[in-house]
Each structure stands twice: as structure tokens, then as C-alpha cells.
Amino acid sequence: MATGNVASKTVMQRFLDTVEKVGNMVPHPVVIFLILIAIVIGLSAVLGAFGAAVTFERINPDTHKVETATTAIRSLLNVEGIRFIYSSLIPNFMSFTAVGLMIVAMIGAGVAEESGLVTALIRKLVIVSPRWALTYILSFVGILASIAADAGYLVLIPLAGIAYLAVGRHPLAGLALGFAAVAGAFTVNMLIKPLDAVLVEFTNDAAHLVDPSRSIGLASNVWFSIASVLFLTVIIAFISDRMIEPRLGKYDPKLAAEGTTTEQGATLSEQESRGLRFAGFGLLGLIVVFCLLTIPAGAPLRNPTTGELIGNSPFMNGLIALIMLMFLTTGWTYGIGAGTLRTLTEVIAAIEKSIKNLGGTIFLFFVLSQFVAYFTYTNMGTVMALSLSGVLQSANIGALPLLLGFIVVVAIIDLLLTGAIAKWAIFAPVFVPLLMKLGVEPEAVLAAYRVGDSPMNAITPLNAYFALVVGFAQKYDKTAGVGTIVSLMLPYVMWMFVLWTALFAAWKWLGLPWGL
């Protein structure tokens, strides 16, 4: 990877260069996960033989009642474990939702990219945005992309790379910016999203252990979330401009993988301008259709029981379909206007091309899905999480230090258990009642969980989309590897975690309202 002048590098830049070199010496990601699978299998047999277990209280996700449970390490080398390994090969892969999300998203994204819409939109954004504002715009949009669940990984991250390239900036800096925004701030947004409904429900179940009349609403963290979005937008953009891009230096198009477009420039041709107008008409038509499906009372995409639209509703649960249709519709209408995709046959060919390019990633996801399933089966992550939380719970410290310690524990566990819902189902019945007895409102505990759960998503290889980001990077630098992404994301993770935790502490100390 091309970087700036060695003589002018700071100590941190030289350290990150070392991290990258060491990281890129590791084998192919598939080999890494095969090694990890072997370690999990062997370790599960050892721990299982010693009867490692932990007893705890948790919220049953089906009944929402607190129950006492004992979780023991399960061996993968006994009779049941071997049966699981043999019989779960296909179910493990089929239940790995990242695969389905990626393929569905690429149906639309492939058409948008092949027609030229993505490039034209990015160049239009470059034309209308001041150069200094591009980083902040992409950072802000990336954080808000979590409203579409995991679709932000598949859409915003590659778009950020293209946007940087369009203005002559290093595309890896754009990818890093997009990854930090989408992953590192995943649990906060300016809008209420489906994840909020689940987290709030588990929080209320835990709060009722202390006070059956105490409940919080969906907007219980909205003020803190809005402030966090604005705060993190500035931090992510600042780190990108002052740390990441200077280290990368000037981009050399010769580093790009074969077949990758590295042309720069921001001017639009007459055909491209007409294509954008057609895409606008297509988007308007799609909006009208979805307004009819969502706005009227009893509309098909509203919750059939409560009638809500934002929260637990068919519209929010199937938002990836809207993302796919948006790119498919605008991509095709752009192609008609610009003359790049006119017929249905050409559209199908564009979709086939985008799916073919996912072959290596799908194989990696197959191996990754087996590792995740085996790790979950052994219960090693759960036992570790409960052991750490037990140590923190027994510590004789005040409310704010306990909250800060809680944030640290969540961050550590997030390196191994990346699912926000699964971790909160374990942590909520422990820490919400504990802190409520110390006079801490449940809204504050949930806000602390949001802070601890997000930043590490951008650096853990167990993030289902980490390998995908490595693939994005290899398009622009064929020598890029795991070490490249880790070295790019380390500054984001460190500063986001420290400064966001400081914001939380200041918010708590000042007694500001967490939400409505």
C-alpha cells in the first residue's frame, strides 16, 4: 500500500505501518478461520472435560421473563458435538443472514453500478459539495445508514471509496471512513430503528425486576443518540482528514486490481445528466408506490396489530427490499436515459455480473458461518461474558465508575460476540437492576451499552462484513489484506471509544436527559 514520505511520518503512523505489515503476513482469511475453527474445537474439548460452567439470570427472548440458567462449555469432540459438526454444515451457512443481505443488495447495486448511476451520482455530489465537506457528508450518511440494518455495509462503504477516487483522493481512505461510520456508530441514529425496539423491550424486562411500574419508551435514548451522531460525525471526519489520508499519501492507480475503474474527474456529460433526470423520475415513482403501501391506515407494510410504521413493522423489517428496489429502479431508469442499459436482457446481465463477482466472498462467508456456529455451540463466548460481568458486578465502586467499567466490558466482549441483541439479553438482567439500585436510570444503562457495543465492530474479524471490506480494499490495492484494514481502523476505534465514553460521562455528570 502506498503511504506518505517515511521521513515525515509520526510515531503513530510508523506504528500503524508496522501493524499493517505484521497483519498482512497472516494467511488468507479463509485459512485464518479454518485455524480458528480448529482452535475452538480443541479448546471446547479441554474446557468441556473440566466441566467449565457458569450460572446466571437472563431474559428469555420468547417469554420476556427472567429465568435462571446454567451455561456449560459444550465439547465439539464428543458424540453430540461430532453430530452437530456433521449435520449442521448447510444449516449454518443458510442461517448466515449476511449472505442473503449481500446478494439481495447486489441485485440492485449491480444494476446501479453497471449502468453508471453510482459514478454519476458520486461525481454530482462532488460538484455540489465543497471539497472540505465531502468527508463530513459521507461520515454523517454512513452513521445514519444503520437505519437500513446491515445494508450500509454493502452500499455506503464502496460508495465512499468511489467518492474519494472521484476527487483524486485515496480510495482506501474513503473505504475506511465508510467502515468507521457504518460499523463504529451502529447502535445510534437520529431515527428510531428496529434494533431500538428490541433493546428497549429487554431493558424494560430487566427494570421490572426492581420496579414493575418502571418502563422506558422507544425514544428513551433519542437525545443522547442525536448528540452522538453529530459528535461522531465530526470525530470520524477529523480522523480521516488528519490521520488516515496523510498516512496513505497519494494514490497510485497501478495498485488497483485488474478490471477496477480508477478514472477520476467530476464533470458530467449530457447523457449522464439526462440519465440522472430519468433516475429522479424513477425514484419519485417508487416513493409514490411506497407511500401508498405505508401511509394509509391499514396499509400492507404497517404493523397489522399496532399499526406502527417505524419500529416493529413489515416496512422496517424488510427495509433491504426497499434498498434493492431503489437501486434497481434508479439504475435501470438511469440506464435508459443515459443509453447504457436499455433492455431487460441488459439489466439481467448486469445482475448476473455482480453476483458472479461475489464468488470468493460467498466461499469466505461459508467458512465464517461454520466458525460462528461452532463458537456459539460451545458457549465459550457466553461463559467469558458472564465471568467478566460477574467481576464487575462484585466490584465495590460508585455508579459512574461502574457504568464506565460496564462500557469497557461490553467493548471487550464485542470482539468475540458481535450481535448487539444477544449480548444485551445477557447483560440487561445483570446491570440494569444493579445500577437501578444505585439510583441510575435504565435509560443511562442502555446508553452505556450503545457506547460499548459499537466501536469494536470496525476492528473485530468476527464482524461478518470485515472480510467484505478487505475485498473492497483489494479492488484499489491488490496487496491489501487483513493488516491493512486493521491498521486503517485502529485510530478510529481508539479515538471513538475514548471520546464517546467521555461524552457519555459528561452527559451523565451534567444530568442531561437521555431521551423522551
Coordinates of all heavy atoms in Angstrom, one line a residue, residues 191-201 204 215-222 225 308 310-312 446 450 515-516:
L191 N -32.9 8.5 14.0 CA -34.3 8.0 13.8 C -34.4 6.7 14.7 O -33.4 6.1 15.0 CB -34.5 7.6 12.3 CG -34.4 8.8 11.3 CD1 -34.5 8.3 9.9 CD2 -35.5 9.8 11.6
I192 N -35.7 6.3 15.0 CA -35.9 5.1 15.7 C -35.8 4.0 14.7 O -36.4 4.0 13.6 CB -37.3 5.1 16.3 CG1 -37.5 6.3 17.3 CG2 -37.6 3.8 17.1 CD1 -36.5 6.4 18.4
K193 N -35.1 2.9 15.0 CA -35.0 1.8 14.1 C -35.3 0.5 14.8 O -35.5 0.4 16.0 CB -33.5 1.7 13.6 CG -32.5 1.7 14.7 CD -31.1 1.7 14.1 CE -30.0 1.6 15.2 NZ -28.7 1.6 14.6
P194 N -35.5 -0.6 14.1 CA -36.0 -1.9 14.7 C -35.1 -2.3 15.8 O -35.6 -2.9 16.8 CB -35.9 -2.9 13.5 CG -36.1 -2.0 12.3 CD -35.4 -0.7 12.6
L195 N -33.8 -2.2 15.8 CA -32.9 -2.6 16.9 C -33.3 -1.9 18.2 O -33.3 -2.5 19.3 CB -31.5 -2.2 16.6 CG -30.4 -2.5 17.6 CD1 -30.4 -4.0 17.9 CD2 -29.1 -2.0 17.2
D196 N -33.8 -0.6 18.1 CA -34.2 0.1 19.3 C -35.3 -0.6 20.0 O -35.4 -0.7 21.3 CB -34.6 1.5 19.0 CG -33.4 2.3 18.5 OD1 -32.3 2.2 19.0 OD2 -33.6 3.1 17.5
A197 N -36.3 -1.1 19.3 CA -37.4 -1.8 19.9 C -37.0 -3.0 20.7 O -37.5 -3.2 21.8 CB -38.4 -2.2 18.8
V198 N -36.1 -3.8 20.2 CA -35.6 -5.0 20.9 C -34.9 -4.6 22.1 O -35.1 -5.2 23.2 CB -34.8 -5.9 20.0 CG1 -34.3 -7.1 20.7 CG2 -35.6 -6.3 18.7
L199 N -33.9 -3.7 22.0 CA -33.1 -3.3 23.1 C -34.0 -2.7 24.3 O -33.8 -3.0 25.5 CB -32.0 -2.3 22.7 CG -31.0 -2.8 21.7 CD1 -30.0 -1.6 21.4 CD2 -30.3 -4.0 22.2
V200 N -34.9 -1.9 23.9 CA -35.8 -1.2 24.9 C -36.7 -2.3 25.6 O -36.9 -2.2 26.8 CB -36.7 -0.2 24.2 CG1 -37.8 0.3 25.2 CG2 -35.9 1.1 23.9
E201 N -37.2 -3.3 24.8 CA -38.0 -4.3 25.4 C -37.2 -5.1 26.4 O -37.7 -5.4 27.5 CB -38.5 -5.2 24.3 CG -39.6 -6.2 24.8 CD -40.4 -6.8 23.6 OE1 -39.8 -6.8 22.5 OE2 -41.4 -7.4 23.9
N204 N -36.7 -3.0 29.6 CA -37.9 -2.9 30.5 C -38.1 -4.2 31.2 O -38.5 -4.2 32.4 CB -39.1 -2.6 29.6 CG -39.2 -1.2 29.2 OD1 -38.7 -0.3 29.9 ND2 -39.9 -0.9 28.0
S215 N -40.8 1.8 33.3 CA -40.6 1.4 31.9 C -40.1 2.6 31.1 O -40.3 3.7 31.5 CB -41.9 0.9 31.2 OG -42.4 -0.3 31.8
I216 N -39.4 2.3 30.0 CA -38.9 3.3 29.2 C -39.4 3.1 27.8 O -39.9 2.0 27.4 CB -37.3 3.3 29.1 CG1 -36.8 2.0 28.5 CG2 -36.7 3.5 30.5 CD1 -35.3 2.0 28.3
G217 N -39.4 4.2 26.9 CA -40.0 4.1 25.6 C -39.0 4.0 24.5 O -37.8 4.0 24.8
L218 N -39.5 3.9 23.3 CA -38.6 3.7 22.1 C -37.6 4.9 22.0 O -36.5 4.8 21.5 CB -39.4 3.6 20.9 CG -40.0 2.2 20.6 CD1 -40.8 2.2 19.3 CD2 -38.9 1.1 20.5
A219 N -38.1 6.1 22.4 CA -37.3 7.3 22.3 C -36.5 7.6 23.5 O -36.1 8.8 23.7 CB -38.1 8.5 21.9
S220 N -36.3 6.7 24.4 CA -35.6 6.9 25.7 C -34.2 7.3 25.6 O -33.6 7.9 26.5 CB -35.7 5.7 26.6 OG -35.1 4.6 25.9
N221 N -33.5 7.1 24.4 CA -32.1 7.5 24.2 C -32.0 8.5 23.1 O -30.9 8.7 22.6 CB -31.2 6.3 24.0 CG -30.8 5.5 25.2 OD1 -30.3 4.4 25.1 ND2 -31.0 6.1 26.4
V222 N -33.1 9.0 22.6 CA -33.1 9.8 21.4 C -32.1 11.0 21.5 O -31.4 11.3 20.5 CB -34.5 10.2 20.9 CG1 -35.1 11.2 21.9 CG2 -34.5 10.7 19.5
S225 N -28.6 9.8 21.5 CA -28.3 9.3 20.1 C -28.0 10.4 19.1 O -27.1 10.3 18.3 CB -29.4 8.4 19.7 OG -29.4 7.2 20.4
E308 N -48.2 0.6 13.7 CA -47.0 1.4 13.7 C -46.2 1.2 12.4 O -46.3 0.1 11.8 CB -46.1 1.2 14.9 CG -45.5 -0.2 15.0 CD -44.6 -0.4 16.2 OE1 -43.9 0.6 16.5 OE2 -44.6 -1.5 16.8
I310 N -42.7 2.9 12.0 CA -41.3 2.9 12.4 C -41.2 2.1 13.7 O -41.8 2.4 14.7 CB -40.9 4.4 12.7 CG1 -41.1 5.2 11.5 CG2 -39.4 4.4 13.1 CD1 -40.3 4.7 10.2
G311 N -40.4 1.1 13.7 CA -40.3 0.1 14.8 C -40.5 -1.3 14.3 O -39.9 -1.7 13.3
N312 N -41.3 -2.0 14.9 CA -41.6 -3.4 14.5 C -42.7 -3.4 13.5 O -43.9 -3.5 13.9 CB -42.0 -4.3 15.8 CG -42.2 -5.7 15.4 OD1 -41.7 -6.2 14.4 ND2 -42.9 -6.4 16.2
L446 N -28.8 1.7 29.2 CA -28.9 1.4 27.8 C -28.0 2.2 26.9 O -27.4 1.8 26.0 CB -30.4 1.5 27.3 CG -30.7 1.3 25.9 CD1 -30.2 -0.1 25.5 CD2 -32.2 1.4 25.6
R450 N -24.9 1.1 24.3 CA -24.7 1.6 23.0 C -23.3 2.0 22.7 O -22.7 1.7 21.7 CB -25.7 2.7 22.7 CG -27.1 2.4 22.7 CD -28.0 3.6 22.4 NE -29.4 3.4 22.7 CZ -30.3 2.8 21.8 NH1 -29.8 2.5 20.6 NH2 -31.6 2.7 22.1
G515 N -33.4 11.0 26.7 CA -34.4 11.0 25.6 C -35.7 11.4 26.1 O -35.8 12.1 27.1
L516 N -36.7 11.1 25.3 CA -38.1 11.5 25.6 C -38.7 10.6 26.7 O -38.4 9.4 26.7 CB -39.0 11.4 24.4 CG -38.6 12.3 23.2 CD1 -39.4 12.1 22.0 CD2 -38.7 13.8 23.7

